Amino acid sequence: MIFPFVWRILPGPAVLKVIELLVLLAAIVFVLFTWVFPWIAADILPPPDGTVDVSPSP
């Protein structure tokens, strides 16, 4: 399990470990939304269909 490993390697008492885990989680979410998800959207997913149906208005 990864969580017990991370809990063991973090320094400090339990309260400090919880704060460190929250900061680590926020950093992971930041990296995902800043670099990983845009890369997936730009390089892996197909481009959106850019056609627009223009109907003449009466």
Side-chain angles (χ1 to χ4, degrees), residues 15-39:
V15 174
L16 182 60
K17 288 183 181 188
V18 169
I19 294 170
E20 291 170 345
L21 281 173
L22 290 174
V23 169
L24 185 62
L25 180 65
I28 290 170
V29 169
F30 175 78
V31 167
L32 284 173
F33 277 98
T34 304
W35 291 293
V36 177
F37 295 153
W39 173 76

Side-chain angles (χ1 to χ4, degrees), residues 41-53:
D43 293 341
I44 295 176
L45 296 175
D49 187 17
T51 60
V52 177
D53 184 26

Side-chain angles (χ1 to χ4, degrees), residues 1-16:
M1 300 284 287
I2 191 73
F3 184 76
F5 173 73
V6 172
W7 187 259
R8 273 195 312 265
I9 65 169
L10 289 176
V15 174
L16 182 60

